Amino acid sequence: MTEPSPAAPVRFEILGPLRAWRADTELDLGPGKQRAVLAVLLLNANRPTPTARIVDAVWGDEPPENGVNVVQKYIAGLRRILEPGRSPRAPGQLLTLTEAGYTLVVPPGRLDAEVFTDHVTRARTAGRTADAAGYLRGALALWRGEPLAGLRGPYFDAARERLAEDRAAAVEERARIELDLGEHARLVPELSRLVAEFPVREELRYLLILALYRCGRQAEALAAYQSAREFLAEEFGVEPGERLRQLHLAILRSDRALAPYAEPPMPAPAPVAPAPPPPFIPAAPAAMAAVPRVWRPPPALRALAIAVPLLSFGFLTWAALAFFAARRRSRALGLASAGYFLLVAVFAFTMGTGSESAWDNVGMLALLLTMVGGTVHLAVLVLGTSARHQNAPPDLDTLRSLELRIRREQALTLLDHYPPIARELRIGRPDLSRVFNDGGLVDINGVPEHVLAALPGVTVPQAQQIVARRRVTGGFASVEDLITYGLLPVPVVRALSDVLIAVADDTPAAAPATEPTTDGLALPH
């Protein structure tokens, strides 16, 4: 086993001008050709590089007559710089020679390009989360300018282009993740600069337009699309890609799908410039006459039908749908009733095994589907029937408001009766990726500061005070604590009462620390 060198390890940088450091001291790498030889070895770090490849990369079409000897001279110069304590006749530790060529040994974490690649890999493993965005920010912070700046030739140009492509891909991925996390306001200036730096990358233009729209700057978003269209037409004679065109149409329609998932709809005063509702085109008399008469349940029965899944925890959803299927003679409703009955059977089977297993979660999910799906299904069914009976379209805003209230009630029921499942579904955490729609609930014990600041009537300083207080107290016992501690005015808390919740932390408290006393007893701090 080789004895470790007493000199500090060398750190290399190629994501900018070529540099080498020992501790905090930058090394003088010598003349330009010697630096170019080192760059070739760093681009092939920990792999043997044949002498012929080094000559071709450094000198291109004009190689020296004694290229092998010239490379040997520069290798000797690099060894004196990188291994100053090595005896002239001793074999190199960092720069070794084998039959396959010269190898520059670079330990992990000592070459910025490899650290960049490692951070990007970690980000992809972490998924579209805040941790992934952090890894990508760390990776992009390693860049100091044009990679391998000052080195010219086809070999270095190709390497530079590859590294720049990797950086642009990392920039796009970080912007996508942070846009999903609701940071569109902060991203707009940076994306504007990146579009100027990478004008032909349509993905960056797409992200800039979407960020502008989510900031409420619809006119600027449309102007950014027009700018992209003019640039592509003038430079390449082509129209924007399909994805950009679809985004443009969605903005013109004020498509709700463009809203960030981290900011679900919440009760708030009317916005300053609301998007106009879609126009209603009345049906022609002949078409209206063609609509079959549908049995309309009385108001009391409609309310009872909507409440059945909630009151029965999903066990009688199938019966309510079977009733409507029989009255309307609807095969589709009959099949839906059979589907909900099957979900109840799945729950009964999994709960009846008598042992805890992964099937318990399957059963609880099946029951949850009967509760949530059945309530929404019946609500849309009976309200839609009433609207059609009156020869008028259903009120979409009313239906959406009702759906949000129902989803909140279902989520609160889960919190009361099945807390572990509720926490697994991340109820009240719009800042996290999830598949369960809780109707826009916000957990004041869990959400970060920017989510609180986005609530109507809550300022940034107030959001900071709420986060600071819950760190000191370990969390709020109820939403009313926001009033008790003077963190929010009473009217604001009352206006947000439908969406604010306080989920208790189920993490067991740590035992109090103890310290010895003079008499040998341990007293708590």
Side-chain angles (χ1 to χ4, degrees):
M1 182 176 180
T2 305
E3 291 293 331
S5 172
V10 181
R11 175 170 51 88
F12 301 95
E13 296 176 352
I14 63 174
L15 301 180
L18 176 62
R19 291 180 180 177
W21 303 77
R22 179 175 286 110
D24 295 330
T25 303
E26 183 176 1
L27 303 180
D28 183 3
L29 300 175
K33 294 299 183 185
Q34 183 168 292
R35 298 169 64 88
V37 170
L38 175 60
V40 175
L41 295 173
L42 286 172
L43 289 172
N44 297 275
N46 300 310
R47 299 191 303 271
T49 307
T51 303
R53 182 183 300 175
I54 296 176
V55 172
D56 182 70
V58 176
W59 285 274
D61 296 333
E62 300 178 356
E65 295 182 0
N66 54 347
V68 174
N69 294 334
V70 175
V71 171
Q72 289 177 350
K73 182 185 75 170
Y74 289 136
I75 291 293
L78 290 173
R79 281 174 172 164
R80 287 192 296 271
I81 296 169
L82 301 178
E83 300 178 85
R86 184 184 66 86
S87 172
R89 296 186 177 182
Q93 301 297 317
L94 289 179
L95 258 174
T96 63
L97 175 62
T98 64
E99 293 181 357
Y102 291 98
T103 301
L104 178 60
V105 179
V106 181
R110 309 306 296 180
L111 176 61
D112 58 356
E114 290 187 355
V115 176
F116 170 84
T117 302
D118 180 68
H119 278 43
V120 172
T121 302
R122 289 173 180 264
R124 290 169 179 166
T125 304
R128 303 177 71 83
T129 62
D131 290 340
Y135 283 128
L136 291 171
R137 281 193 295 268
L140 295 169
L142 297 170
W143 286 74
R144 298 171 292 104
E146 182 185 51
L148 301 169
L151 300 175
R152 295 293 175 259
Y155 183 87
F156 297 115
D157 290 342
R160 197 165 15 248
E161 183 176 353
R162 174 179 56 81
L163 291 170
E165 175 64 25
D166 292 343
R167 174 176 174 261
V171 166
E172 291 177 353
E173 183 61 20
R174 179 182 64 84
R176 278 193 293 267
I177 294 174
E178 292 182 345
L179 200 58
D180 287 345
L181 295 176
E183 298 185 19
H184 35 269
R186 184 184 62 79
L187 281 173
V188 167
E190 183 179 0
L191 285 171
S192 299
R193 178 181 57 80
L194 291 170
V195 166
E197 183 180 354
F198 301 99
V200 299
R201 298 187 73 92
E202 288 194 24
E203 180 64 15
L204 287 176
R205 293 184 181 271
Y206 178 96
L207 296 172
L208 172 61
I209 295 170
L210 182 57
L212 286 168
Y213 179 79
R214 288 184 174 178
C215 290
R217 299 157 66 175
Q218 181 177 5
E220 294 177 66
L222 294 173
Y225 173 81
Q226 187 63 28
S227 175
R229 184 181 182 186
E230 292 173 356
F231 172 83
L232 294 173
E234 293 174 1
E235 295 293 328
F236 306 103
V238 298
E239 287 290 320
E242 177 67 16
R243 195 157 181 258
L244 263 183
R245 295 199 302 271
Q246 291 298 326
L247 175 62
H248 178 238
L249 293 175
I251 291 176
L252 293 175
R253 295 194 303 262
S254 298
D255 194 340
R256 291 182 178 179
L258 297 181
Y261 76 83
E263 298 180 6
M266 297 179 182
V272 176
F280 166 60
I281 302 176
M288 296 172 63
V291 177
R293 297 181 59 86
V294 181
W295 173 73
R296 180 192 181 192
L301 185 56
R302 292 202 302 270
L304 178 61
I306 296 174
V308 162
L310 180 63
L311 297 177
S312 67
F313 292 96
F315 283 96
L316 297 180
T317 302
W318 66 272
L321 277 174
F323 172 78
F324 279 90
R327 291 302 301 260
R328 298 187 181 185
R329 300 178 182 179
S330 170
R331 183 178 180 182
L333 290 178
L335 292 175
S337 172
Y340 286 115
F341 181 81
L342 181 61
L343 290 174
V344 173
V346 170
F347 171 80
F349 173 76
T350 55
M351 294 295 105
T353 57
S355 61
E356 296 184 358
S357 66
W359 287 103
D360 292 345
N361 291 333
V362 175
M364 295 307 303
L365 182 59
L367 188 62
L368 178 63
L369 289 174
T370 62
M371 294 171 61
V372 177
T375 304
V376 175
H377 193 163
L378 286 165
V380 174
L381 184 65
V382 298
L383 292 178
T385 299
S386 175
R388 286 194 301 271
H389 180 82
Q390 299 171 9
N391 291 328
D395 188 340
L396 297 180
D397 290 337
T398 301
L399 288 178
R400 181 168 179 81
S401 176
L402 175 61
E403 179 184 356
L404 289 177
R405 289 199 302 270
I406 292 172
R407 290 189 181 279
R408 290 170 192 157
E409 292 174 2
Q410 300 290 350
L412 293 174
T413 301
L414 282 174
L415 279 172
D416 291 340
H417 299 279
Y418 308 105
I421 294 180
R423 294 189 182 94
E424 185 177 348
L425 293 174
R426 299 174 177 177
I427 287 177
R429 295 300 306 273
D431 55 305
L432 301 178
S433 176
R434 55 196 179 155
V435 297
F436 179 77
N437 184 354
D438 59 11
L441 295 177
V442 176
D443 175 20
I444 60 175
N445 284 331
V447 297
E449 175 185 309
H450 73 272
V451 175
L452 292 170
L455 293 171
V458 181
T459 65
V460 173
Q462 289 171 337
Q464 294 173 343
Q465 292 176 2
I466 293 173
V467 173
R469 169 64 67 173
R470 80 184 183 204
R471 288 174 180 168
V472 173
T473 62
F476 301 102
S478 69
V479 176
E480 298 297 324
D481 286 350
L482 299 177
I483 300 175
T484 303
Y485 292 121
L487 300 174
L488 288 180
V490 174
V492 174
V493 177
R494 294 291 181 263
L496 298 173
S497 60
D498 287 342
V499 296
L500 293 182
I501 58 174
V503 180
D505 186 3
D506 61 344
T507 305
T514 59
E515 61 181 349
T517 62
T518 55
D519 59 358
L521 298 177
L523 298 177
H525 286 293

Coordinates of all heavy atoms in Angstrom, one line a residue, residues 236-293:
F236 N -34.3 31.5 -37.8 CA -34.4 30.1 -38.4 C -35.6 29.9 -39.3 O -35.7 28.8 -39.9 CB -34.5 29.1 -37.2 CG -33.4 29.2 -36.2 CD1 -33.6 29.8 -35.0 CD2 -32.1 28.8 -36.5 CE1 -32.6 30.0 -34.1 CE2 -31.1 29.0 -35.6 CZ -31.3 29.6 -34.3
G237 N -36.5 30.9 -39.4 CA -37.6 30.7 -40.3 C -38.6 29.7 -39.9 O -39.3 29.0 -40.7
V238 N -38.7 29.4 -38.6 CA -39.7 28.4 -38.0 C -40.6 29.0 -37.0 O -40.3 30.1 -36.4 CB -38.9 27.2 -37.4 CG1 -38.0 26.5 -38.5 CG2 -38.0 27.7 -36.2
E239 N -41.7 28.3 -36.7 CA -42.6 28.8 -35.7 C -42.2 28.1 -34.3 O -41.4 27.1 -34.3 CB -44.0 28.3 -36.0 CG -44.7 29.1 -37.1 CD -45.0 30.5 -36.7 OE1 -45.5 30.7 -35.6 OE2 -44.8 31.4 -37.5
P240 N -42.6 28.6 -33.2 CA -42.3 28.0 -31.9 C -42.8 26.5 -31.9 O -43.8 26.2 -32.6 CB -43.1 28.9 -30.9 CG -43.2 30.2 -31.6 CD -43.4 29.9 -33.0
G241 N -42.2 25.7 -31.0 CA -42.6 24.3 -30.9 C -44.0 24.2 -30.3 O -44.7 25.1 -29.9
E242 N -44.5 22.9 -30.4 CA -45.9 22.6 -30.0 C -46.1 23.0 -28.5 O -47.2 23.5 -28.2 CB -46.2 21.1 -30.2 CG -47.5 20.7 -29.8 CD -48.7 21.3 -30.6 OE1 -48.4 21.8 -31.7 OE2 -49.8 21.2 -30.2
R243 N -45.1 22.7 -27.7 CA -45.3 23.0 -26.2 C -45.5 24.5 -26.0 O -46.4 24.9 -25.2 CB -44.1 22.5 -25.5 CG -44.4 22.4 -24.0 CD -43.4 21.4 -23.4 NE -43.6 21.2 -21.9 CZ -42.9 21.8 -21.0 NH1 -41.8 22.5 -21.4 NH2 -43.1 21.6 -19.7
L244 N -44.7 25.3 -26.6 CA -44.9 26.8 -26.5 C -46.2 27.3 -27.0 O -46.9 28.1 -26.4 CB -43.7 27.5 -27.2 CG -42.5 27.9 -26.4 CD1 -41.5 28.7 -27.2 CD2 -42.9 28.8 -25.2
R245 N -46.6 26.7 -28.2 CA -47.9 27.2 -28.7 C -49.1 26.8 -27.8 O -50.0 27.5 -27.7 CB -48.1 26.6 -30.1 CG -47.1 27.1 -31.2 CD -47.6 26.8 -32.6 NE -47.8 25.4 -32.8 CZ -46.9 24.5 -33.3 NH1 -45.7 25.0 -33.5 NH2 -47.2 23.3 -33.5
Q246 N -49.0 25.6 -27.2 CA -50.1 25.2 -26.3 C -50.1 26.0 -25.1 O -51.2 26.4 -24.6 CB -49.9 23.7 -25.9 CG -50.1 22.7 -27.1 CD -51.6 22.8 -27.6 OE1 -52.5 23.0 -26.8 NE2 -51.7 22.5 -28.9
L247 N -48.9 26.5 -24.6 CA -48.9 27.3 -23.4 C -49.5 28.7 -23.8 O -50.3 29.3 -23.0 CB -47.5 27.5 -23.0 CG -47.2 28.5 -21.8 CD1 -48.0 28.1 -20.6 CD2 -45.8 28.7 -21.6
H248 N -49.2 29.2 -25.0 CA -49.8 30.5 -25.4 C -51.3 30.4 -25.5 O -52.0 31.3 -25.0 CB -49.3 30.8 -26.8 CG -49.8 32.1 -27.4 ND1 -50.5 32.1 -28.6 CD2 -49.8 33.3 -26.9 CE1 -50.8 33.3 -28.9 NE2 -50.5 34.1 -27.9
L249 N -51.9 29.3 -26.0 CA -53.3 29.2 -26.1 C -53.9 29.0 -24.7 O -55.0 29.6 -24.4 CB -53.7 27.9 -26.9 CG -53.4 28.0 -28.4 CD1 -53.7 26.7 -29.1 CD2 -54.2 29.1 -29.0
A250 N -53.2 28.3 -23.8 CA -53.8 28.2 -22.4 C -53.8 29.5 -21.7 O -54.7 29.8 -20.9 CB -52.9 27.2 -21.6
I251 N -52.8 30.4 -21.9 CA -52.8 31.7 -21.3 C -54.0 32.5 -21.8 O -54.6 33.2 -21.1 CB -51.5 32.4 -21.5 CG1 -50.4 31.7 -20.7 CG2 -51.5 33.9 -21.1 CD1 -49.0 32.2 -21.0
L252 N -54.2 32.4 -23.1 CA -55.3 33.2 -23.7 C -56.7 32.7 -23.1 O -57.6 33.5 -23.0 CB -55.3 33.0 -25.2 CG -54.2 33.7 -26.0 CD1 -54.2 33.3 -27.4 CD2 -54.2 35.2 -25.8
R253 N -56.8 31.4 -22.8 CA -58.0 30.9 -22.2 C -58.1 31.1 -20.7 O -59.0 30.7 -20.0 CB -58.2 29.4 -22.5 CG -58.3 29.1 -24.0 CD -58.8 27.7 -24.2 NE -57.9 26.7 -23.6 CZ -57.0 26.1 -24.2 NH1 -56.8 26.3 -25.5 NH2 -56.2 25.2 -23.6
S254 N -57.0 31.6 -20.1 CA -56.9 31.7 -18.6 C -57.1 30.3 -18.0 O -57.9 30.1 -17.0 CB -57.9 32.7 -18.0 OG -57.6 34.0 -18.5
D255 N -56.4 29.3 -18.5 CA -56.6 27.9 -18.1 C -56.2 27.7 -16.7 O -55.0 28.1 -16.3 CB -55.7 27.0 -19.0 CG -56.1 25.5 -18.9 OD1 -56.7 25.2 -17.9 OD2 -55.7 24.8 -19.8
R256 N -57.0 27.2 -15.8 CA -56.7 27.0 -14.4 C -55.6 26.0 -14.2 O -55.0 25.9 -13.2 CB -58.0 26.5 -13.7 CG -59.0 27.6 -13.6 CD -60.2 27.1 -12.8 NE -61.2 28.1 -12.6 CZ -62.4 27.9 -12.0 NH1 -62.6 26.7 -11.4 NH2 -63.3 28.9 -11.8
A257 N -55.4 25.1 -15.2 CA -54.3 24.1 -15.1 C -52.9 24.8 -15.0 O -52.0 24.1 -14.5 CB -54.3 23.2 -16.3
L258 N -52.8 26.0 -15.4 CA -51.5 26.7 -15.3 C -51.2 27.2 -13.9 O -50.1 27.6 -13.6 CB -51.5 27.9 -16.3 CG -51.7 27.6 -17.7 CD1 -51.6 28.9 -18.5 CD2 -50.6 26.7 -18.2
A259 N -52.2 27.2 -13.0 CA -51.9 27.6 -11.6 C -51.0 26.7 -10.9 O -51.0 25.5 -11.1 CB -53.2 27.8 -10.9
P260 N -50.0 27.2 -10.1 CA -49.1 26.3 -9.4 C -49.8 25.4 -8.4 O -50.7 25.9 -7.7 CB -48.1 27.2 -8.7 CG -48.9 28.5 -8.6 CD -49.9 28.6 -9.7
Y261 N -49.4 24.1 -8.3 CA -50.1 23.2 -7.3 C -49.8 23.6 -5.9 O -50.5 23.3 -5.0 CB -49.7 21.8 -7.5 CG -48.3 21.4 -7.0 CD1 -48.1 21.1 -5.7 CD2 -47.3 21.4 -7.9 CE1 -46.9 20.7 -5.3 CE2 -46.0 21.0 -7.5 CZ -45.8 20.7 -6.1 OH -44.6 20.4 -5.7
A262 N -48.7 24.4 -5.7 CA -48.3 24.8 -4.4 C -49.2 25.9 -3.8 O -49.1 26.3 -2.7 CB -46.9 25.3 -4.3
E263 N -50.1 26.5 -4.7 CA -51.0 27.5 -4.3 C -52.4 27.2 -4.6 O -53.0 27.7 -5.6 CB -50.6 28.9 -4.9 CG -49.2 29.3 -4.5 CD -48.8 30.6 -5.2 OE1 -49.7 31.2 -5.8 OE2 -47.7 31.1 -5.0
P264 N -53.0 26.2 -3.9 CA -54.4 25.8 -4.2 C -55.4 26.9 -4.0 O -55.1 27.9 -3.3 CB -54.6 24.6 -3.3 CG -53.7 24.9 -2.1 CD -52.5 25.6 -2.7
P265 N -56.6 26.9 -4.6 CA -57.6 27.9 -4.5 C -58.0 28.0 -3.0 O -58.2 27.1 -2.3 CB -58.7 27.4 -5.3 CG -58.2 26.2 -6.1 CD -57.0 25.8 -5.5
M266 N -58.1 29.3 -2.6 CA -58.5 29.5 -1.2 C -59.5 30.6 -1.2 O -59.6 31.5 -2.1 CB -57.3 29.9 -0.3 CG -56.2 28.9 -0.3 SD -54.8 29.4 0.7 CE -53.8 27.9 0.5
P267 N -60.4 30.7 -0.1 CA -61.4 31.8 -0.1 C -60.7 33.1 0.0 O -59.8 33.3 0.9 CB -62.2 31.5 1.2 CG -61.3 30.6 2.0 CD -60.5 29.8 1.0
A268 N -61.0 34.1 -0.8 CA -60.3 35.4 -0.8 C -61.3 36.4 -1.4 O -62.2 36.0 -2.1 CB -59.0 35.3 -1.6
P269 N -61.0 37.7 -1.2 CA -61.8 38.7 -1.8 C -61.6 38.6 -3.3 O -60.7 38.0 -3.8 CB -61.2 40.0 -1.3 CG -60.5 39.6 0.0 CD -60.0 38.2 -0.2
A270 N -62.5 39.2 -4.1 CA -62.5 39.2 -5.5 C -61.2 39.8 -6.0 O -60.7 40.8 -5.5 CB -63.6 40.0 -6.1
P271 N -60.4 39.2 -6.9 CA -59.2 39.7 -7.4 C -59.4 41.0 -8.2 O -60.5 41.4 -8.6 CB -58.6 38.6 -8.3 CG -59.8 37.8 -8.7 CD -60.8 37.9 -7.6
V272 N -58.3 41.8 -8.3 CA -58.3 43.1 -9.0 C -58.8 43.0 -10.4 O -59.6 43.7 -10.9 CB -57.0 43.8 -8.9 CG1 -57.0 45.1 -9.6 CG2 -56.6 44.0 -7.4
A273 N -58.2 42.0 -11.1 CA -58.6 41.8 -12.5 C -58.9 40.4 -12.8 O -58.1 39.6 -13.3 CB -57.4 42.2 -13.4
P274 N -60.2 39.9 -12.4 CA -60.5 38.5 -12.6 C -60.7 38.2 -14.1 O -61.0 39.0 -14.9 CB -61.9 38.4 -11.9 CG -62.4 39.8 -12.0 CD -61.3 40.8 -11.9
A275 N -60.3 36.9 -14.4 CA -60.5 36.5 -15.8 C -61.9 36.3 -16.1 O -62.7 35.8 -15.2 CB -59.7 35.2 -16.0
P276 N -62.4 36.7 -17.2 CA -63.8 36.6 -17.6 C -64.2 35.2 -17.7 O -63.5 34.3 -18.1 CB -63.9 37.3 -18.9 CG -62.5 37.2 -19.5 CD -61.6 37.3 -18.3
P277 N -65.4 34.8 -17.2 CA -65.9 33.4 -17.3 C -66.1 33.1 -18.7 O -66.4 33.9 -19.6 CB -67.2 33.5 -16.4 CG -67.7 34.9 -16.5 CD -66.4 35.7 -16.6
P278 N -66.1 31.8 -19.0 CA -66.3 31.4 -20.4 C -67.8 31.7 -20.8 O -68.7 31.6 -20.0 CB -66.1 29.8 -20.3 CG -66.3 29.5 -18.9 CD -65.8 30.6 -18.1
P279 N -67.9 32.2 -22.0 CA -69.3 32.6 -22.4 C -70.2 31.4 -22.5 O -69.8 30.3 -22.9 CB -69.0 33.2 -23.8 CG -67.8 32.6 -24.3 CD -66.9 32.3 -23.0
F280 N -71.5 31.6 -22.2 CA -72.5 30.6 -22.3 C -73.3 30.8 -23.6 O -73.9 31.9 -23.8 CB -73.4 30.6 -21.1 CG -74.7 29.8 -21.2 CD1 -74.6 28.4 -21.5 CD2 -75.9 30.4 -21.2 CE1 -75.7 27.7 -21.7 CE2 -77.0 29.7 -21.3 CZ -77.0 28.3 -21.6
I281 N -73.3 29.8 -24.4 CA -74.1 29.9 -25.6 C -75.4 29.1 -25.5 O -75.3 27.8 -25.3 CB -73.3 29.3 -26.8 CG1 -72.0 30.1 -27.0 CG2 -74.1 29.4 -28.1 CD1 -71.1 29.6 -28.0
P282 N -76.5 29.7 -25.4 CA -77.7 29.0 -25.1 C -78.0 28.0 -26.3 O -77.7 28.2 -27.4 CB -78.8 30.1 -25.1 CG -78.2 31.3 -25.6 CD -76.7 31.2 -25.6
A283 N -78.6 26.9 -25.9 CA -78.9 25.8 -26.8 C -80.2 26.3 -27.7 O -81.0 27.0 -27.2 CB -79.3 24.5 -26.1
A284 N -80.2 25.8 -28.9 CA -81.3 26.1 -29.8 C -82.5 25.3 -29.3 O -82.4 24.3 -28.6 CB -81.0 25.6 -31.2
P285 N -83.7 25.9 -29.5 CA -84.9 25.2 -29.0 C -85.0 23.8 -29.4 O -85.5 22.9 -28.6 CB -86.1 26.1 -29.7 CG -85.4 27.4 -29.9 CD -84.0 27.1 -30.3
A286 N -84.7 23.4 -30.7 CA -84.8 22.0 -31.1 C -83.8 21.2 -30.3 O -84.2 20.0 -29.9 CB -84.4 21.9 -32.6
A287 N -82.6 21.7 -30.0 CA -81.7 20.9 -29.2 C -82.2 20.7 -27.8 O -82.0 19.7 -27.2 CB -80.3 21.6 -29.2
M288 N -82.8 21.8 -27.2 CA -83.3 21.7 -25.9 C -84.5 20.7 -25.8 O -84.6 20.0 -24.8 CB -83.8 23.1 -25.4 CG -82.6 24.1 -25.3 SD -83.1 25.7 -24.9 CE -83.9 25.5 -23.4
A289 N -85.3 20.7 -26.8 CA -86.4 19.7 -26.8 C -85.9 18.3 -26.9 O -86.6 17.4 -26.5 CB -87.3 20.1 -28.0
A290 N -84.7 18.1 -27.5 CA -84.2 16.8 -27.7 C -83.7 16.2 -26.4 O -83.4 15.0 -26.3 CB -83.1 16.7 -28.7
V291 N -83.5 17.1 -25.4 CA -82.9 16.6 -24.1 C -84.0 15.8 -23.4 O -85.1 16.3 -23.1 CB -82.4 17.7 -23.2 CG1 -81.9 17.2 -21.9 CG2 -81.3 18.5 -24.0
P292 N -83.8 14.5 -23.0 CA -84.8 13.7 -22.3 C -85.1 14.2 -20.9 O -84.2 14.8 -20.3 CB -84.2 12.3 -22.3 CG -82.7 12.6 -22.3 CD -82.5 13.8 -23.2
R293 N -86.3 14.1 -20.5 CA -86.7 14.5 -19.2 C -86.0 13.5 -18.2 O -86.1 12.3 -18.3 CB -88.2 14.5 -19.0 CG -88.9 15.5 -19.9 CD -90.4 15.4 -19.6 NE -90.7 15.7 -18.3 CZ -90.9 17.0 -17.8 NH1 -90.7 18.0 -18.6 NH2 -91.2 17.2 -16.5

